[in-house]
Amino acid sequence: MNLASQRALVAQGCRVAASRGLVDGMLGHLSLRIDDGHLLIRCRSDTDTGVAFTRPSDIRLITLDGKAGAPGELDGYRVPNELPIHVETMRADAGHRAVAHVHPPAVVAADLAGIAIRPVYGAFDIPGARLARGGVPVYPRAVLIRNTQLAKEMVAAMGGRPLVILRGHGITSAAGSIEQSVLQAISIDELARMSLRVRAAGGTLRDIEDADWDHLPDLGSGFNTESAWRHEVARLDGQPS
């Protein structure tokens, strides 16, 4: 199978996440399900220079048990220790075709400070507000999720929501596309940053009024995803492609 375009998209998603400060250095990885038995995932090699410089060649086809999905796929590459995050998140929901596991410092800091991520603003970022409506679940263990048992605990904490905070660790964001999984992570990071700013200024965080939801329409995927992603890709200008 020819997976060139999918590899390029996953690599692009990694670079976007890094450009937004959601990952730093070598940590964090994205994946895309190809079929019931295979996924593409960012792997590491001895020449890896970090997530911000991810190349399509760093995106490898593997089976759900972490083996090479085709001859040569893992030659010189290692599957992430936290592969179970991706596998169990995808198994939990057929709609989860893409998973972004990233480490946004603002989200980690807000959670450790006891600040729940809530829809404290509306039209500033409607998709972000909708994502946080009803609260964002938290997996309370600050562990490396490197086995099925821990990954299933994380998925249980996720509770069917598209995103979960991993205390003292990062987040897992799941969606039907690479673009959406990363955009969700960006929105939660922005909510965390705003919440920390408000608290630092001595303010009190309050959810937006219930009546305001009627005036916060879904502007559609053309604006919320396609246009938003074009902007994120444009911000990468000057970085390796």
Side-chain angles (χ1 to χ4, degrees):
M1 64 182 78
N2 187 349
L3 300 173
S5 61
Q6 292 98 321
R7 292 183 203 269
L9 177 60
V10 179
Q12 186 181 74
C14 290
R15 297 196 306 274
V16 167
S19 77
R20 281 292 194 165
L22 304 180
V23 293
D24 187 28
M26 313 300 290
L27 301 178
H29 24 79
L30 274 64
S31 65
L32 178 67
R33 179 162 55 187
I34 299 303
D35 56 35
D36 289 343
H38 298 83
L39 57 87
L40 289 170
I41 190 165
R42 189 194 192 279
C43 292
R44 298 192 181 108
S45 71
D46 290 339
T47 60
D48 198 339
T49 54
V51 180
F53 304 100
T54 301
R55 304 157 296 187
S57 59
D58 296 324
I59 312 303
R60 315 305 292 184
L61 181 69
I62 65 169
T63 61
L64 299 188
D65 59 358
K67 294 182 172 59
E73 281 290 336
L74 288 179
D75 291 355
Y77 281 88
R78 299 179 297 279
V79 174
N81 288 328
E82 293 185 307
L83 173 64
I85 286 178
H86 301 264
V87 172
E88 296 306 320
T89 301
M90 290 177 180
R91 281 178 170 159
D93 189 329
H96 292 163
R97 290 194 61 246
V99 175
H101 172 57
V102 292
H103 295 181
V107 178
V108 174
D111 178 63
L112 292 176
I115 301 172
I117 305 301
R118 307 286 302 182
V120 295
Y121 50 61
F124 182 84
D125 175 13
I126 295 175
R130 289 182 174 276
L131 188 61
R133 191 176 188 182
V136 178
V138 177
Y139 176 56
R141 304 187 66 185
V143 296
L144 194 69
I145 303 175
R146 57 182 178 174
N147 62 49
T148 298
Q149 178 183 341
L150 292 172
K152 285 185 174 180
E153 286 181 5
M154 184 207 73
V155 169
M158 205 167 182
R161 302 295 295 277
L163 189 145
V164 62
I165 296 170
L166 316 179
R167 179 153 295 153
H169 185 173
I171 66 173
T172 296
S173 174
S177 68
I178 285 291
E179 297 94 328
Q180 189 60 27
S181 70
V182 177
L183 290 170
Q184 287 174 175
I186 292 170
S187 285
I188 288 299
D189 182 59
E190 186 57 47
L191 270 165
R193 289 172 181 269
M194 187 68 77
S195 298
L196 289 167
R197 281 193 209 117
V198 171
R199 285 282 289 270
T204 300
L205 295 168
R206 302 180 182 86
D207 288 12
I208 61 174
E209 297 293 331
D210 288 343
D212 289 348
W213 289 106
D214 292 337
H215 301 283
L216 294 172
D218 183 347
L219 299 176
S221 62
F223 182 80
N224 290 335
T225 304
E226 295 166 23
S227 293
W229 194 250
R230 283 197 301 273
H231 167 72
E232 296 301 330
V233 173
R235 294 178 78 251
L236 294 174
D237 187 32
Q239 294 191 22
S241 60

